Amino acid sequence: MVLEALKYMVLGMGIVFLFLYLMVVILNWQHKLVEKYFPQKEEPSATPSKRDKLKKVAAITAAIAHMKKSN
Amino acid sequence: MVLEALKYMVLGMGIVFLFLYLMVVILNWQHKLVEKYFPQKEEPSATPSKRDKLKKVAAITAAIAHMKKSN
Amino acid sequence: MVLEALKYMVLGMGIVFLFLYLMVVILNWQHKLVEKYFPQKEEPSATPSKRDKLKKVAAITAAIAHMKKSN
Amino acid sequence: MKKRLIGFVLALLVVMIPIGAIATVSHMTDENKSAVHHEEHQEKSIGSLIEGFYKQTGIYAIFNPQEGAKNALGEEMSTFHQSFGRIIMIGIAFLLFYLAIAKGFEPLLLIPIGFGGLLANIPLANIIGDHGFIGELYKAGIANELFPLLIFMGVGAMTDFGPLLANPKTALLGAAAQFGIFGTLVGAVALSQMGVFDFTLQDAAAISIIGGADGPTSIFIASKLAPDLLGAIAVAAYSYMALVPVIQPPIMRALTTPEERRIKMKTTREVRKLEKILFPLTVLVLTILILPESSPLIGALTFGNFVRESGVVERLSKTMQNELINIVTIFLGLAVGSKLAAEKFLVPETLGILLLGLVAFAIGTAAGVIMGKIMNKFSKEPINPLIGAAGVSAVPMAARVANKEGMREDPTNVLLMHAMGPNVAGVIGSAVAAGVLLSIF
Amino acid sequence: MKKRLIGFVLALLVVMIPIGAIATVSHMTDENKSAVHHEEHQEKSIGSLIEGFYKQTGIYAIFNPQEGAKNALGEEMSTFHQSFGRIIMIGIAFLLFYLAIAKGFEPLLLIPIGFGGLLANIPLANIIGDHGFIGELYKAGIANELFPLLIFMGVGAMTDFGPLLANPKTALLGAAAQFGIFGTLVGAVALSQMGVFDFTLQDAAAISIIGGADGPTSIFIASKLAPDLLGAIAVAAYSYMALVPVIQPPIMRALTTPEERRIKMKTTREVRKLEKILFPLTVLVLTILILPESSPLIGALTFGNFVRESGVVERLSKTMQNELINIVTIFLGLAVGSKLAAEKFLVPETLGILLLGLVAFAIGTAAGVIMGKIMNKFSKEPINPLIGAAGVSAVPMAARVANKEGMREDPTNVLLMHAMGPNVAGVIGSAVAAGVLLSIF
Amino acid sequence: MKKRLIGFVLALLVVMIPIGAIATVSHMTDENKSAVHHEEHQEKSIGSLIEGFYKQTGIYAIFNPQEGAKNALGEEMSTFHQSFGRIIMIGIAFLLFYLAIAKGFEPLLLIPIGFGGLLANIPLANIIGDHGFIGELYKAGIANELFPLLIFMGVGAMTDFGPLLANPKTALLGAAAQFGIFGTLVGAVALSQMGVFDFTLQDAAAISIIGGADGPTSIFIASKLAPDLLGAIAVAAYSYMALVPVIQPPIMRALTTPEERRIKMKTTREVRKLEKILFPLTVLVLTILILPESSPLIGALTFGNFVRESGVVERLSKTMQNELINIVTIFLGLAVGSKLAAEKFLVPETLGILLLGLVAFAIGTAAGVIMGKIMNKFSKEPINPLIGAAGVSAVPMAARVANKEGMREDPTNVLLMHAMGPNVAGVIGSAVAAGVLLSIF
Ligand code: NA
Ligand code: NA
Ligand code: NA
């Protein structure tokens, strides 16, 4: 029984390492592929965040107005 | 088989048209009934939303004014 | 049958009153225990909401400052 | 657009070539498998098709009721229920919509219930049957008591028991008001004995619970003791809860003097967070010790309230109070509505249910007010008997009515918070009463 | 931290002492009960363990397909479907993701469907089987028609039928466009007769409904008439709905003259709240009288719409439009995706479904436009035939396409609101057509 | 008010006249049908009623346990479990509430689990039985593995795998930490062999998975391999996850030198959107190829993450992260709590589970740290061994603990983002380990 459990341990840790090691390899390889075939453009995700900031400012302005009213 | 499918087609299109035609007739008739028995009052649902809008505009204006003053 | 229903009525109202009366007793007793062992501190629940308000004010101030700069 | 088209064509090719090429080959062997099916359908002339279709219309089914025809549940329907019965029920559904929309009667439940009722009365369709979608909802949540308890959970998460904790003894008003339930039980049995109605003890109990003025409790009990009466009981319960501002005031005024109605009560003490957290646990333990039969109802209610008051699981509390209760309300309403099928609702029992429900409400109100008068006599602190009427629950409508009646006599007399105590105690009171009834039958 | 640790140790003691002390004693008697289990497992060498494990990998299953191996539902699979079939299907799932993310094709459904397809093609796993989680979702909502109807409820709650009420006669355009369904039915039967395809009448009907351009209706009908084709039908329906801006314009231009496309329509009248409230009830009553078979679909749609327009149950309406439809979309998508298992999808029928679906869309569009031309001839008020194309439904995409085509000829010609009328009528039209097909088979 | 009353009376008449008139007539024939029922109930004196009621109270049941009495599931209970057992369990439920509220221990799950435990220990009530509402929740989502997978879906939708993508090799730390699972498995088997515990291999596997530090994974595995131990395993898993800040630091300090704890790591690179989209698909494909048994867990996790990262189905992603996961958490918690019934929890096994779970956490932490030291030796870039401890998962608590320990040595050393890599890898790691265990048994 204990021997068997030890075998399962070896098998289990082996597979866990195998799985995650393969994942590491593929992710590294994928990173290279992405960099090669889809080279970094000027990140478009920055622009919307600016827009978000403006939105926040607008929201804050409205909030100030609201606070005044409720005073 | 094809003949049968053709019959189903005639039947089906007939029922679809019948259904939607009756719907058109009833909707027109319903429109007249509504106009007759529930004549258009000064729509009350428009007023609150307008009022809300005005409130918002006022609040925002006030906030901007406040900010300018505090400059 | 009616007699039986009357018995159920007596039993039922008895239990309802018993239950809620015991609840009253326990709640009163619980109130005293709470007052005794957890005497009223300066209510801490008020402070966070104040703190929240202060945070809001701070955020708004920062936002206004930001807007001024970006003008 | 062009790019998109090209992309699509390419995509289609990618899909089609393997499918077309490989799959066709791999399937060549079983190609003649389904050729046989074609013959099954036998040729019909267009005339017989139209006739066949006509016999499947609702018009035909309603104007040509047939002896021995069965409903979606496989039970035989009388020709009356197949024809005029359905028309009347559709009318009643429209009436419920009118009351909900124009009069504001508990629309959250009466609209789904009414619509469920509409759908339940469609001839030939199987919507409330075994594979129909409302039938499935019924199986999923009414047959196994799940939906009313989830609603009760949401009610617990939405209820602040603070006013009760501030003045616990007002809970006794919530106890007295349950006399509406038990008094009506006696009346229903007596009238059945006299041959006026024809209710079994179980039926009578399920009907009487309407006097508890709690929708989920009524549905829970009815689904256990008298599932056939569920539709009428639910409709009566919610209708009368909506009618509290009409039913209660005359009774309240008849039983109190203007002086009593002017009694001002002491301002309530502040309630500590810890007391609120302990409250649901206290109530549940009491239930465990005294009345385990009530524990599904009170368990759900106190769970919701504990999640609310614990203060550490805000997201669960909000979900219970909003999305979960909304979804369950939609499903519960439709499923309860399925019991508004003509053959279930258009029976003499319904008349009895409507009448007895009204009586139960009235008795409960009166008992609460009278208990208020008694407590006012014996209590050190003054108690305005009007708040006794709030003991029927119907949260928070009955408390508002008590407040309004108080302000009619004296506009400076704000009873709302005082009335909330018996009001929420009434919820517990009728859950206890429900447990008693379940333990008897 | 220290306090916490002490608290925990104390807590642990409180738990452990009673458990350790009392429970051990109380269980002394049955201690030797489970000692037997130990022997059951028989010893294996580490080598045989690794080999055994290797035989449970997906690589082994895919590269060593076995005659007579069964899928999660207990049906035998061909070796092709066990090996290349799965690889192709995984490719198709990726294609769907690509179309959804990069091309914006109905991502709300194609992403869950595609992912369900991925999970359905995992060898040895039982995800779509009887106790697998997607299998359970399928049983919970597709097998009993619940999910598509809940989606339809949400669609009803999201749809404003105002444009149709403003100009009811445009509903006839929504009727004409259903010719896509019935025309394709004839074609499918004819081609099956000729041996090109191999569809039964039921199959042909389920496929033709793709021409109705309504996802939930297609899924509802397919799950009833041809559950084995469900995956391909759903994918085709949603793909073509996404492709409306590609499929429709050439047909619309081919069938209309520039003058016709420039026709301006009268501004629509204002629609009263009361008309909007009555509309769902009117449609439902009509369904009850004429076509009870359509009542699940139209019942769900009108219920959602009634909840929306009643105006008194805002919280239910919002829940239907958001959380409920989102949750159901996730479940429905995964469950439908389970029909993308290789052995169900990689069959010659799929090719036929994709082709016939495209044909159905095209015929429907053409029929709508032609009906528009006819109505323009006979109507007092001018009708732009382009809005006929919106009659296929695919709400609101088809209406936008009609608007865009109109503005191509004349940038001042805003047809959007006029096109919304036939567009929403098309939803009702295909639900009616679905009812006809159900009543025939 | 008057108008309302008149409206109501009119409405009532409309309802009552047809019901009263027509229905009574149509039912005259079967009026004597139910008169028989009345006799069934036999008369009891008020004394015997009270006695009968007393025998149905919880007090009676707890203080008069009876040999051979059965629980809600029809299994015999010992008298200990009927009496003191229930009292102890109610105490334990209160302890869980205390830990959740006052100490902040994973309240989202411990509050529903604790309350489910309370409800499960109510004598005579059938809440966890076949038609009880928690019993129904159990059947609806635990018995068929649905709820833990839906939670995992939500976890996927809430998790940002960016830190792992920025530095993939830290995933190996998440692999090493799974030694907690397999090491404990060996230990549990050895101790069972020696007669200290009494666990089968399946039991031991289900217990060891606590070392994976993932609630849903633990529940998923326990419900498959050892459903009787589910309650104790779930409580242990969530309690220890909450105790990560207590359990891990001493181990981390014992195994590292101050110099190692001061190691600063390179700032992580930016991760591209496309990588994040591809990540869940990559992991799923790997699972399909290597370990199909893990695919329900990893499938649900990657589905949630794919919906999140695809960026085109924001509304589904938000629903998964909020309403859906909240609703399922409530249901899952209550259903798991039903396994806290005294007769399931107050058994010697529970003690073993609590101890072994703690050991599993400790071994996992140690293995992660040691792997960190090894990798630091052989890697070009410096790796702080503290982040290895985050490999047990317990997202994001363990990563925060690693960060805090780092800052204790050097306040400028911010390890949080570096620790998130192994932290999220640990989720995948224990899902893989779970798949291995499932494939063995
Ligand atoms: Na009540
Ligand atoms: Na359509
Ligand atoms: Na883990």
Side-chain angles (χ1 to χ4, degrees):
Chain A
M1 278 292 289
V2 178
L3 196 74
E4 195 157 350
L6 277 167
K7 284 181 208 156
Y8 291 152
M9 188 185 85
V10 172
L11 180 76
M13 286 309 290
I15 291 163
V16 170
F17 266 103
L18 174 71
F19 189 99
L20 288 170
Y21 180 71
L22 280 176
M23 191 181 90
V24 171
V25 170
I26 295 171
L27 289 182
N28 280 327
W29 178 67
Q30 176 180 294
H31 173 52
K32 276 172 209 152
L33 282 182
V34 166
E35 287 302 317
K36 190 170 168 190
Y37 292 103
F38 303 88
Q40 191 97 13
K41 308 160 213 163
E42 199 55 37
E43 272 288 289
S45 64
T47 324
S49 74
K50 256 187 206 166
R51 222 188 298 149
D52 280 1
K53 262 188 202 166
L54 281 174
K55 267 189 199 169
K56 266 185 207 163
V57 169
I60 288 164
T61 316
I64 294 170
H66 178 78
M67 274 174 63
K68 270 192 211 159
K69 251 199 302 179
S70 59
N71 278 353
Chain B
M1 279 291 289
V2 178
L3 197 72
E4 196 157 350
L6 276 168
K7 284 180 208 156
Y8 292 151
M9 186 184 87
V10 172
L11 180 75
M13 285 308 290
I15 292 163
V16 170
F17 265 104
L18 174 71
F19 189 97
L20 287 170
Y21 180 72
L22 281 175
M23 190 182 90
V24 171
V25 170
I26 295 171
L27 289 182
N28 280 327
W29 178 68
Q30 175 180 294
H31 173 52
K32 275 172 207 152
L33 283 183
V34 167
E35 287 301 317
K36 191 168 168 190
Y37 293 104
F38 302 88
Q40 190 97 15
K41 306 161 213 164
E42 200 53 38
E43 274 286 290
S45 66
T47 324
S49 74
K50 258 186 204 166
R51 220 188 299 150
D52 281 359
K53 260 188 202 166
L54 279 174
K55 265 188 200 170
K56 268 184 206 165
V57 168
I60 290 164
T61 316
I64 293 168
H66 175 80
M67 277 175 60
K68 271 189 208 160
K69 255 198 294 181
S70 61
N71 277 352
Chain C
M1 279 291 288
V2 177
L3 196 74
E4 195 157 350
L6 276 168
K7 284 180 208 156
Y8 291 150
M9 187 184 87
V10 172
L11 180 75
M13 286 308 289
I15 292 163
V16 170
F17 265 103
L18 174 71
F19 189 98
L20 288 170
Y21 179 71
L22 280 176
M23 190 181 90
V24 171
V25 170
I26 295 171
L27 289 182
N28 281 326
W29 177 68
Q30 175 179 293
H31 173 53
K32 274 172 208 151
L33 282 183
V34 167
E35 288 301 318
K36 191 169 167 190
Y37 292 102
F38 303 88
Q40 191 97 15
K41 308 161 212 164
E42 201 53 39
E43 272 288 289
S45 65
T47 324
S49 73
K50 258 186 204 167
R51 222 189 298 149
D52 281 359
K53 258 188 203 166
L54 280 175
K55 267 189 200 170
K56 265 185 208 164
V57 169
I60 289 165
T61 316
I64 292 169
H66 177 82
M67 274 172 66
K68 271 187 210 165
K69 256 199 295 181
S70 61
N71 276 353
Chain D
M1 202 48 52
K2 221 168 200 174
K3 250 182 168 174
R4 211 169 185 181
L5 186 60
I6 294 170
F8 174 71
V9 170
L10 280 176
L12 210 66
L13 286 180
V14 174
V15 179
M16 285 187 172
I17 290 176
I19 299 175
I22 313 183
T24 312
V25 173
S26 98
H27 271 259
M28 231 130 73
T29 45
D30 45 27
E31 210 157 55
N32 50 357
K33 154 195 94 180
S34 60
V36 197
H37 293 284
H38 295 206
E39 269 63 41
E40 280 173 20
H41 254 271
Q42 101 186 57
E43 304 272 322
K44 296 170 198 155
S45 78
I46 186 87
S48 76
L49 263 179
I50 289 175
E51 198 197 313
F53 180 82
Y54 172 61
K55 288 197 173 163
Q56 292 191 48
T57 62
I59 296 175
Y60 181 85
I62 288 173
F63 290 104
N64 298 279
Q66 288 184 311
E67 284 295 338
K70 285 175 182 171
N71 67 6
L73 302 165
E75 305 153 354
E76 278 199 13
M77 289 176 78
S78 72
T79 53
F80 163 72
H81 286 138
Q82 289 177 51
S83 51
F84 291 113
R86 282 179 165 141
I87 293 169
I88 293 169
M89 286 315 298
I90 290 172
I92 288 175
F94 276 73
L95 179 70
L96 290 178
F97 296 151
Y98 172 75
L99 294 174
I101 295 173
K103 301 284 168 192
F105 275 32
E106 298 277 335
L108 284 175
L109 269 139
L110 289 189
I111 282 184
I113 290 177
F115 218 96
L118 263 186
L119 297 178
N121 284 289
I122 301 181
L124 305 168
N126 185 34
I127 295 180
I128 64 168
D130 201 35
H131 282 282
F133 88 100
I134 294 186
E136 293 291 324
L137 290 177
Y138 190 90
K139 274 197 291 181
I142 307 282
N144 61 16
E145 75 189 43
L146 202 55
F147 289 164
L149 293 180
L150 291 177
I151 300 264
F152 226 45
M153 209 182 266
V155 169
M158 290 194 283
T159 303
D160 176 12
F161 284 97
L164 177 61
L165 287 162
N167 193 3
K169 71 173 173 297
T170 57
L172 296 181
L173 297 167
Q178 307 315 318
F179 191 69
I181 296 174
F182 293 103
T184 305
L185 175 61
V186 173
V189 169
L191 290 171
S192 290
Q193 201 83 321
M194 288 156 59
V196 181
F197 296 131
D198 181 39
F199 293 122
T200 65
L201 263 173
Q202 277 90 335
D203 291 349
I207 296 164
S208 307
I209 209 84
I210 295 172
D214 255 309
T217 303
S218 293
I219 292 171
F220 182 80
I221 295 298
S223 72
K224 293 204 148 195
L225 296 182
D228 273 356
L229 307 180
L230 178 56
I233 288 175
V235 167
Y238 282 103
S239 300
Y240 293 139
M241 280 164 69
L243 278 170
V244 153
V246 181
I247 299 171
Q248 289 198 324
I251 300 166
M252 293 158 79
R253 280 176 231 152
L255 293 173
T256 51
T257 63
E259 288 70 40
E260 284 172 329
R261 297 202 286 277
R262 274 189 222 111
I263 292 173
K264 285 199 182 177
M265 294 178 68
K266 277 195 193 169
T267 48
T268 56
R269 71 169 177 87
E270 216 179 304
V271 175
R272 302 279 297 278
K273 183 95 197 106
L274 184 58
E275 288 178 274
K276 287 193 180 179
I277 295 178
L278 290 175
F279 175 73
L281 300 177
T282 301
V283 173
L284 183 59
V285 168
L286 208 54
T287 308
I288 295 175
L289 294 180
I290 296 183
L291 198 62
E293 284 282 356
S294 281
S295 56
L297 281 167
I298 291 189
L301 183 78
T302 53
F303 175 53
N305 192 246
F306 185 65
V307 164
R308 169 201 178 89
E309 300 296 354
S310 74
V312 289
V313 286
E314 194 61 22
R315 55 184 291 166
L316 300 189
S317 170
K318 278 194 178 152
T319 294
M320 279 184 190
Q321 291 179 48
N322 294 291
E323 293 81 23
L324 183 55
I325 201 172
N326 289 348
I327 291 172
V328 175
T329 299
I330 293 167
F331 290 175
L332 175 84
L334 288 173
V336 165
S338 74
K339 293 290 184 183
L340 296 193
E343 66 272 23
K344 303 277 178 201
F345 192 85
L346 290 182
V347 292
E349 283 83 2
T350 298
L351 205 62
I353 291 167
L354 288 173
L355 283 174
L356 287 170
L358 187 57
V359 168
F361 256 73
I363 296 180
T365 304
V369 173
I370 291 168
M371 183 71 185
K373 294 175 74 140
I374 296 171
M375 280 181 71
N376 187 37
K377 282 256 162 64
F378 292 95
S379 163
K380 284 169 294 183
E381 295 166 11
I383 286 174
N384 189 316
L386 289 176
I387 70 168
V392 296
S393 46
V395 183
M397 188 91 78
R400 283 193 204 140
V401 168
N403 184 55
K404 205 177 167 192
E405 289 304 306
M407 290 180 85
R408 265 171 69 109
E409 276 326 309
D410 174 358
T412 68
N413 195 5
V414 180
L415 293 171
L416 190 62
M417 270 304 118
H418 302 287
M420 284 307 294
N423 205 208
V424 296
V427 176
I428 298 171
S430 38
V432 171
V436 173
L437 294 174
L438 286 180
S439 78
I440 293 173
F441 301 111
Chain E
M1 202 47 55
K2 220 169 201 175
K3 250 182 165 174
R4 212 169 184 181
L5 185 60
I6 295 169
F8 173 71
V9 169
L10 280 175
L12 210 66
L13 286 180
V14 173
V15 179
M16 286 184 170
I17 291 175
I19 299 175
I22 314 183
T24 311
V25 173
S26 98
H27 271 260
M28 231 128 74
T29 45
D30 44 29
E31 209 159 55
N32 49 359
K33 155 197 94 180
S34 60
V36 197
H37 294 286
H38 295 205
E39 269 63 43
E40 280 174 19
H41 254 269
Q42 102 186 56
E43 303 272 323
K44 295 168 198 156
S45 79
I46 186 86
S48 76
L49 264 180
I50 290 174
E51 197 198 313
F53 179 82
Y54 171 60
K55 288 199 174 161
Q56 291 191 49
T57 62
I59 295 175
Y60 181 85
I62 288 174
F63 290 104
N64 298 280
Q66 289 184 311
E67 283 296 338
K70 286 177 181 170
N71 67 4
L73 302 164
E75 305 154 355
E76 278 197 14
M77 289 177 78
S78 72
T79 54
F80 164 73
H81 286 140
Q82 289 176 51
S83 52
F84 292 113
R86 283 179 166 141
I87 294 169
I88 293 169
M89 286 315 298
I90 291 172
I92 288 175
F94 276 73
L95 179 71
L96 291 177
F97 297 150
Y98 172 75
L99 294 174
I101 295 173
K103 300 286 169 191
F105 275 31
E106 299 275 338
L108 284 175
L109 269 138
L110 290 189
I111 282 183
I113 289 177
F115 218 97
L118 263 186
L119 297 177
N121 283 289
I122 301 181
L124 305 168
N126 185 33
I127 296 180
I128 63 168
D130 201 33
H131 283 283
F133 89 99
I134 294 186
E136 292 292 324
L137 291 176
Y138 191 89
K139 274 196 291 181
I142 306 282
N144 60 17
E145 76 189 42
L146 202 55
F147 289 165
L149 293 180
L150 291 176
I151 300 266
F152 226 46
M153 210 181 264
V155 169
M158 290 194 282
T159 303
D160 175 12
F161 284 97
L164 178 60
L165 287 162
N167 194 3
K169 70 172 173 299
T170 57
L172 296 181
L173 297 167
Q178 308 315 317
F179 191 69
I181 296 173
F182 293 103
T184 306
L185 175 62
V186 174
V189 169
L191 290 170
S192 289
Q193 201 82 322
M194 289 156 60
V196 179
F197 297 130
D198 181 38
F199 294 122
T200 64
L201 262 173
Q202 277 90 335
D203 290 351
I207 296 164
S208 306
I209 209 84
I210 296 172
D214 255 308
T217 303
S218 293
I219 291 171
F220 181 81
I221 295 298
S223 71
K224 293 203 148 194
L225 296 182
D228 272 357
L229 307 180
L230 178 55
I233 288 175
V235 167
Y238 282 104
S239 300
Y240 293 138
M241 281 164 68
L243 278 171
V244 152
V246 181
I247 299 171
Q248 289 198 323
I251 299 167
M252 291 158 80
R253 280 177 230 151
L255 292 173
T256 51
T257 63
E259 289 71 39
E260 284 172 329
R261 296 202 287 277
R262 273 189 222 112
I263 293 173
K264 286 199 181 176
M265 294 178 68
K266 279 194 191 171
T267 48
T268 56
R269 72 170 177 87
E270 216 177 304
V271 175
R272 302 279 298 277
K273 183 95 196 107
L274 184 58
E275 288 179 274
K276 287 192 179 180
I277 296 178
L278 290 175
F279 174 73
L281 300 177
T282 301
V283 172
L284 183 59
V285 168
L286 208 54
T287 308
I288 295 174
L289 294 179
I290 297 184
L291 198 62
E293 284 282 355
S294 281
S295 56
L297 281 167
I298 291 190
L301 183 79
T302 53
F303 176 52
N305 193 246
F306 185 64
V307 164
R308 169 200 178 90
E309 300 297 353
S310 74
V312 290
V313 285
E314 193 62 22
R315 57 185 289 166
L316 300 189
S317 170
K318 277 193 179 154
T319 294
M320 280 183 190
Q321 291 178 49
N322 294 291
E323 293 81 24
L324 183 54
I325 201 171
N326 289 348
I327 291 172
V328 175
T329 299
I330 294 168
F331 291 175
L332 175 84
L334 288 173
V336 165
S338 75
K339 293 290 183 183
L340 296 193
E343 66 271 24
K344 302 278 177 201
F345 192 85
L346 290 183
V347 291
E349 283 83 1
T350 298
L351 205 64
I353 291 167
L354 288 173
L355 283 175
L356 287 170
L358 187 59
V359 167
F361 256 74
I363 296 180
T365 303
V369 173
I370 291 167
M371 184 70 186
K373 294 174 74 140
I374 295 172
M375 281 180 71
N376 186 36
K377 281 257 161 63
F378 293 96
S379 163
K380 285 170 293 182
E381 296 166 11
I383 287 175
N384 189 317
L386 290 175
I387 69 168
V392 296
S393 47
V395 183
M397 189 91 79
R400 284 194 203 137
V401 168
N403 184 55
K404 206 177 166 191
E405 289 304 306
M407 291 180 86
R408 264 172 69 110
E409 274 329 307
D410 174 358
T412 68
N413 196 4
V414 181
L415 291 172
L416 191 62
M417 271 304 120
H418 301 287
M420 284 307 295
N423 205 208
V424 296
V427 177
I428 298 171
S430 37
V432 171
V436 173
L437 294 175
L438 286 179
S439 78
I440 293 173
F441 301 112
Chain F
M1 201 48 52
K2 220 171 201 173
K3 249 183 167 174
R4 209 167 185 184
L5 185 61
I6 294 170
F8 175 70
V9 170
L10 280 176
L12 210 66
L13 286 180
V14 174
V15 179
M16 286 186 171
I17 290 176
I19 298 175
I22 314 183
T24 311
V25 173
S26 98
H27 272 258
M28 231 130 71
T29 45
D30 45 27
E31 209 158 54
N32 50 357
K33 152 197 96 179
S34 60
V36 197
H37 294 285
H38 295 206
E39 269 63 42
E40 280 174 20
H41 255 270
Q42 99 187 57
E43 304 272 322
K44 296 170 197 155
S45 78
I46 187 85
S48 76
L49 264 178
I50 290 174
E51 197 198 315
F53 180 81
Y54 172 60
K55 289 198 172 160
Q56 292 191 48
T57 62
I59 295 175
Y60 180 85
I62 288 174
F63 290 103
N64 298 280
Q66 290 184 312
E67 284 294 338
K70 287 177 180 169
N71 67 4
L73 302 164
E75 304 153 355
E76 279 198 13
M77 288 177 78
S78 73
T79 53
F80 163 72
H81 285 140
Q82 289 176 50
S83 51
F84 291 113
R86 281 179 168 143
I87 293 169
I88 293 169
M89 286 316 297
I90 290 172
I92 289 175
F94 276 73
L95 179 70
L96 291 178
F97 296 151
Y98 171 75
L99 294 175
I101 296 174
K103 301 285 169 192
F105 276 30
E106 298 275 336
L108 284 175
L109 269 138
L110 289 189
I111 282 184
I113 289 177
F115 218 97
L118 263 186
L119 297 177
N121 283 290
I122 301 180
L124 306 167
N126 186 33
I127 296 179
I128 62 168
D130 201 33
H131 282 282
F133 88 99
I134 293 186
E136 293 291 324
L137 290 177
Y138 191 89
K139 275 196 291 180
I142 306 282
N144 61 16
E145 75 188 43
L146 202 54
F147 289 165
L149 293 180
L150 291 177
I151 300 266
F152 227 46
M153 208 181 266
V155 169
M158 290 194 283
T159 303
D160 175 12
F161 284 96
L164 178 60
L165 287 162
N167 194 3
K169 70 172 173 298
T170 57
L172 296 181
L173 297 167
Q178 307 317 317
F179 190 69
I181 297 174
F182 293 103
T184 306
L185 175 61
V186 173
V189 169
L191 291 170
S192 290
Q193 201 83 319
M194 289 157 59
V196 180
F197 297 130
D198 181 38
F199 293 121
T200 64
L201 263 174
Q202 278 89 335
D203 291 350
I207 295 165
S208 307
I209 209 84
I210 296 171
D214 255 308
T217 302
S218 294
I219 292 171
F220 182 82
I221 295 298
S223 71
K224 294 204 148 194
L225 296 182
D228 272 357
L229 308 180
L230 178 56
I233 289 175
V235 167
Y238 282 104
S239 300
Y240 294 137
M241 281 164 68
L243 279 171
V244 153
V246 181
I247 298 170
Q248 290 197 321
I251 301 167
M252 292 157 79
R253 280 176 231 152
L255 293 174
T256 51
T257 62
E259 289 69 41
E260 283 172 331
R261 295 204 286 276
R262 274 190 221 112
I263 293 173
K264 285 199 181 175
M265 294 178 67
K266 278 194 191 172
T267 49
T268 56
R269 71 169 177 89
E270 217 179 304
V271 174
R272 301 280 299 277
K273 183 97 196 102
L274 184 57
E275 287 178 274
K276 287 192 181 180
I277 297 178
L278 290 175
F279 175 73
L281 300 177
T282 301
V283 173
L284 183 59
V285 168
L286 208 53
T287 308
I288 295 175
L289 294 180
I290 296 184
L291 198 62
E293 283 282 356
S294 281
S295 55
L297 281 166
I298 291 190
L301 183 79
T302 53
F303 176 52
N305 192 247
F306 185 64
V307 163
R308 170 201 177 90
E309 300 297 353
S310 73
V312 290
V313 286
E314 194 61 23
R315 56 184 291 168
L316 299 189
S317 170
K318 278 194 179 151
T319 294
M320 279 184 191
Q321 291 178 48
N322 294 291
E323 293 81 22
L324 183 54
I325 201 171
N326 289 348
I327 291 172
V328 175
T329 299
I330 294 167
F331 290 175
L332 175 85
L334 288 174
V336 165
S338 75
K339 293 290 183 182
L340 296 194
E343 66 271 24
K344 303 277 178 201
F345 192 85
L346 290 183
V347 292
E349 284 83 0
T350 298
L351 206 62
I353 291 167
L354 288 173
L355 283 175
L356 288 171
L358 188 58
V359 169
F361 256 74
I363 297 180
T365 303
V369 173
I370 291 168
M371 183 73 185
K373 293 174 73 138
I374 297 172
M375 280 179 71
N376 187 38
K377 283 255 162 64
F378 293 96
S379 164
K380 284 170 293 182
E381 295 165 12
I383 286 175
N384 189 317
L386 290 174
I387 70 169
V392 296
S393 46
V395 182
M397 188 92 78
R400 283 194 204 138
V401 167
N403 184 55
K404 206 177 165 191
E405 289 303 306
M407 291 179 86
R408 265 171 67 111
E409 277 323 311
D410 175 358
T412 68
N413 194 5
V414 181
L415 292 171
L416 190 62
M417 271 303 120
H418 302 288
M420 284 307 295
N423 206 208
V424 297
V427 177
I428 298 171
S430 38
V432 171
V436 172
L437 294 175
L438 286 179
S439 78
I440 293 173
F441 302 111

